[in-house]
Every structure is written in structure tokens, then in C-alpha cells.
Amino acid sequence: MNQVADILELASTAKQQGIDAVLATVVRTEGSAYRRAGAMMLICEDGRSVGMISGGCLEPHIIKRAFWLTRDGATVQVYQTGDDIEYADNGQAKAGANKNETKHDIYNEPDSDLDDVDFDELNFGLGCNGRVHVLFERLTTAMPLLATIRQVRRNQQPITMATLIRANDWQHQDSVSQKNDNLKIGLRINLDEYHNSKVFLEQETTDASSVLTDTVKELAEYKLSNKNAEHVTVENGKATTEWLVQSLQPQLRLLICGAGNDVMPLVTMAKLQDWHVTVIDSRAQYATRMRFPQADTVMSLSLDDSETLLQLSHNAAVALMSHSLTQDRARLAILLEHANNYKYLGQLGPRYRTERLIKEISINLSNPTMLEAGIHKLHYPIGYKLGGDGPEALALGIMAEINAVMHNQIPIEGGSYNNSSNIPAMSSDTDIVSSIV
């Protein structure tokens, strides 16, 4: 959900100012694509825009066409990034065989005039050999989705949403249900809400047809794989529909225990990725909003407030970097005993320093083995060694390691990555307690 914060802010501003806008959302990708399904871009009629749905290749075209494409409502357009464009002697691109192929892939209403489509602009000839399916909708239609995203970010609870991107053969159905015609491009369904209540609650579909009801039931049972967004086709005998099923995820959360100067670039890098960042320190003169204006939360937290520490670290990545033995010992003692509370734990400083802290913590416990799960999860020294010197290089290495752990990626030989659901600590040892106690 990168750049989501900027989109939410501009959407709110545009609504307050009475300025119309178009939300462009990637709903499906085929082959090579720079952004994944769910990536968004907001284009205002006064020229402002935020977000990206490609590497910058499609954006100029989309900004120019967004309002024209949505003149009759929401629509999905396919952009090809292959290299099979043919050119005439005058240098103009020829649609040729691509015109028929593209015509098949434009999700227009049955009465749309395909002759109005500028086919030679739909294939950009970038050589990426991919296809990007983009949903265009006016801001008034997209506001419920943006409100749901705000809810997810506020409550820190994911929501599974289905968005209709195509309804094959629906226009050919001659039935009473067609009179309601609820299957319109851009229709969104909160699958969690339906699954929990077993009742279809969308206001615009109170008199929902059996086709839609059966489709929603099937979508509600669909299980996403490791991806947060997937293209799903539903066939129920009456109509074939295509959907983007996505899990709207809350922001990744980073808790930094320590408010020294080397924390500043780490906060900046995390905010560039739209993470929610909290900075705490027991020293009030360090934990100030003036020092960390980009952070979402900055607070002075006493070392004996374990309850608040566990609340702030819940499902978060935690970086211990206070440069204080007293602070690190107190925070680490609590966190090592609650290994299931957070997703990542890293300790700044040389290896021998962290092992000293663990030994001192273990001595005061009647059962030191209770720290083993936390030690196995602990990364120390924190971050990947990527080279370079200074706080910025340190922050880059920390962000690289946290990203790898949070996204279940393990670097392998050759610089590529393997998915894994069990990421071992890069520099921890499961039996360190028994070896040093």
C-alpha cells in the first residue's frame, strides 16, 4: 500500500475543495509489471496527481485520458508493454492484428463505441512483455474504498475486499435480475462483512439477484494464497464474472526503542515506504516531536512500563538502538519473554554486547530457557551488512533486513530470493542461554 497516505490526503482535500478526481487502480497484471494489483493513482481535474501504477511509463497517458475514460462510469482498460508494435512509413503506429486483440481486452459496456478507442496507444512497446489491467473510477464512486482503507489503517485489522472487473455474458441474460443490473464494473463487496453475517449487506444491492448472491457466496469462501491480491473468475452457470480479491492490509509498523541521531534516517526510510513509525526513549529530552517530525508517534516511556511496550510492539518490527545498556537490557528482557508478540526484533551493537545483555537478563530468571524463542527470533547485530558507513548506511541495512523478514524473503546465492514462512535469525543462536549461563 505504498503512497496510500498521499492518496488519502489528496482525496480528502479534493473532496473538501469540490474538485473532481479519478482513482486508477491496478486490478490485474500479466507477465512483467512494475506494480502489483492493488497499486493506485489519484488524478485531480486541476492537474494534481499522486501515486504510481507503473514505473512512470503509463502515467502521462493515464493522466491525459482518465476523465475521458470515466465519462460514462467506471471502466477497466488494458495496457500492453510488449514490443510488437508495427509502424507505417509515416512513422505512425499501426493497430494491425493488435487492434483485434486489444478490442477483446477492453472491458467496455455493451453499447460502448470501440471506434473511439485510440488503439495504437494501448500498446506502449516498452519491451516488458506485460499487460496491466487498470480500473478507472470517479472519486465519488471510489470514496467508500478509501474510507475502508482508512478504517484498516486506523484499526490495524485487515479487510478482504472483492472488486468486479468484468462480467462476461451478463448483458445477454434476459431475466428479471437483469432489471436490477447490479453487476457493474467497480462493484465492491466487503467479504469479511458478508462472511461474518451471512447476509449481503451492500446497500445498492438490497434486491440482489440470485446470480450476484451465488457469486458473493463463492467469493466469501475463496482463500487468498501468499499474495494480498489475486484475479478470481467465478462461473455459476448464469454468468461468468472476474474479480480482484484483495486483502487490504494495515501499515507495517516499526517500533524504535531509542531516540539518538542515528534513528533519524531510519524513520525517514520507513516513512518513505508508508510504514507507521513509533519512537520511544526513557530520556524525555531525546524523545521529542521536534527531533522526529516524520514519526507517527514519539513518546517518553519509562523502563518499567512493560504493558505499553508490549502494546506498541504487537505485530510490529522492533529495533533496539538506544546506545544505553540500561535501556536495552530493560526492553530486551521484556521482549525476549514475549517472542510471539512481534514480527521482528533487532538489537544494535556488536555481538558480544548483545550476548552480555542476554546473560545479565538470564541470571535473574529462575528458568532461563523461557528466553530461547525470543533469542532465536533476535537479529544481532541488527541489519544486513551492505557496506558503507554512517547512520544512513546503517538505516539502509536495517530496513533491508526488516523487509526481508516481514515479507518472508531469504537472500540466496546469486542475489535472488526464496519465499519462506520460517525466517531464521540471521545472527542468533538457539542455545545461547545454556552456553553462557
Side-chain angles (χ1 to χ4, degrees):
M1 298 175 73
N2 294 356
Q3 304 174 322
V4 173
D6 293 337
I7 291 174
L8 293 176
E9 181 178 357
L10 181 57
S12 178
T13 301
K15 182 179 179 181
Q16 293 175 1
Q17 296 175 348
I19 296 173
D20 200 3
V22 172
L23 182 69
T25 305
V26 176
V27 293
R28 183 184 179 188
T29 61
E30 300 173 84
S32 177
Y34 186 80
R35 298 299 306 275
R36 298 177 181 178
M40 299 184 297
M41 179 180 184
L42 187 69
I43 305 106
C44 293
E45 60 182 349
D46 62 1
R48 290 176 293 175
S49 65
V50 292
M52 294 179 66
I53 62 170
S54 75
C57 316
L58 305 181
E59 281 74 9
H61 170 86
I62 286 172
I63 291 173
K64 182 171 61 176
R65 309 267 296 190
F67 285 89
W68 181 86
L69 288 170
T70 55
R71 67 197 186 283
D72 296 322
T75 184
V76 176
Q77 184 102 355
V78 179
Y79 295 92
Q80 302 182 52
T81 58
D83 55 1
D84 55 349
I85 294 180
E86 296 181 11
Y87 293 90
D89 293 338
N90 61 4
Q92 296 297 318
K94 296 192 300 183
N98 293 331
K99 180 170 182 176
N100 294 328
E101 181 181 359
T102 306
K103 183 182 293 187
H104 174 74
D105 290 312
I106 296 175
Y107 303 4
N108 287 302
E109 296 296 325
D111 58 350
S112 295
D113 185 1
L114 292 177
D115 292 334
D116 289 339
V117 179
D118 192 359
F119 289 106
D120 61 2
E121 287 192 343
L122 297 181
N123 189 332
F124 283 72
L126 301 174
C128 300
N129 295 321
R131 305 173 100 185
V132 182
H133 303 236
V134 182
L135 168 66
F136 294 88
E137 56 189 324
R138 293 294 174 95
L139 182 58
T140 52
T141 304
M143 283 305 291
L145 170 66
L146 300 180
T148 300
I149 293 175
R150 287 192 182 92
Q151 175 186 337
V152 169
R153 293 163 74 90
R154 181 175 60 252
N155 299 338
Q156 290 292 303
Q157 295 296 324
I159 290 177
T160 305
M161 186 75 67
T163 303
L164 180 64
I165 61 176
R166 194 168 192 171
N168 297 336
D169 300 327
W170 175 252
Q171 63 270 23
H172 301 304
Q173 298 294 325
D174 185 14
S175 63
V176 175
S177 61
Q178 185 183 0
K179 296 178 181 179
N180 295 321
D181 198 8
N182 294 310
L183 294 182
K184 293 183 178 180
I185 300 300
L187 169 68
R188 288 190 174 91
I189 300 167
N190 184 330
L191 296 180
D192 292 334
E193 188 177 63
Y194 173 83
H195 191 270
N196 293 334
S197 65
K198 298 299 182 183
V199 176
F200 190 54
L201 300 176
E202 289 290 322
Q203 181 177 0
E204 67 232 53
T205 55
T206 303
D207 299 322
S209 67
S210 60
V211 174
L212 184 56
T213 302
D214 293 343
T215 299
V216 173
K217 287 180 180 179
E218 186 167 344
L219 288 171
E221 298 302 322
Y222 184 82
K223 302 297 182 183
L224 287 168
S225 60
N226 293 330
K227 300 178 180 178
N228 286 331
E230 294 181 16
H231 171 255
V232 178
T233 300
V234 178
E235 298 181 4
N236 57 21
K238 298 178 181 179
T240 299
T241 53
E242 297 180 32
W243 302 78
L244 168 66
V245 178
Q246 61 184 140
S247 176
L248 302 177
Q249 293 290 324
Q251 292 171 283
L252 293 179
R253 297 174 57 244
L254 174 62
L255 171 64
I256 306 174
C257 301
N261 291 344
D262 55 354
V263 171
M264 296 175 181
L266 181 58
V267 172
T268 299
M269 290 185 186
K271 291 308 298 179
L272 284 173
Q273 296 195 69
D274 193 31
W275 288 20
H276 184 282
V277 180
T278 299
V279 177
I280 64 172
D281 200 301
S282 63
R283 301 161 294 190
Q285 69 272 24
Y286 285 93
T288 65
R289 171 59 63 182
M290 183 177 296
R291 285 172 54 78
F292 300 97
Q294 291 180 295
D296 297 277
T297 303
V298 182
M299 60 188 300
S300 175
L301 185 68
S302 64
L303 297 182
D304 58 358
D305 192 349
S306 58
E307 182 179 352
T308 301
L309 177 64
L310 292 175
Q311 290 175 352
L312 294 174
S313 63
H314 182 65
N315 287 332
V318 184
L320 299 175
M321 45 193 309
S322 70
H323 299 278
S324 163
L325 282 172
T326 301
Q327 284 208 64
D328 286 351
R329 186 187 303 113
R331 309 292 192 203
L332 191 60
I334 297 170
L335 294 168
L336 288 180
E337 291 187 32
H338 299 83
N340 293 328
N341 188 62
Y342 44 84
K343 294 183 177 180
Y344 169 94
L345 178 62
Q347 173 67 64
L348 180 69
R351 185 175 181 85
Y352 69 83
R353 179 183 184 272
T354 301
E355 291 180 351
R356 170 188 170 181
L357 289 171
I358 295 173
K359 182 176 181 179
E360 293 172 352
I361 294 168
S362 302
I363 289 175
N364 296 320
L365 296 176
S366 58
N367 181 19
T369 58
M370 66 189 301
L371 302 180
E372 286 186 357
I375 294 172
H376 178 70
K377 202 168 184 177
L378 177 63
H379 296 255
Y380 65 95
I382 191 172
Y384 289 150
K385 294 182 179 180
L386 302 177
D389 187 28
E392 292 77 14
L394 172 65
L396 182 61
I398 293 173
M399 289 301 299
E401 184 176 69
I402 294 177
N403 265 296
V405 173
M406 300 287 268
H407 294 98
N408 295 328
Q409 298 285 318
I410 297 179
I412 60 176
E413 186 177 356
S416 57
Y417 291 81
N418 272 348
N419 287 107
S420 173
S421 58
N422 183 19
I423 303 296
M426 298 299 292
S427 53
S428 63
D429 192 346
T430 56
D431 62 354
I432 190 173
V433 172
S434 59
S435 67
I436 65 178
V437 174

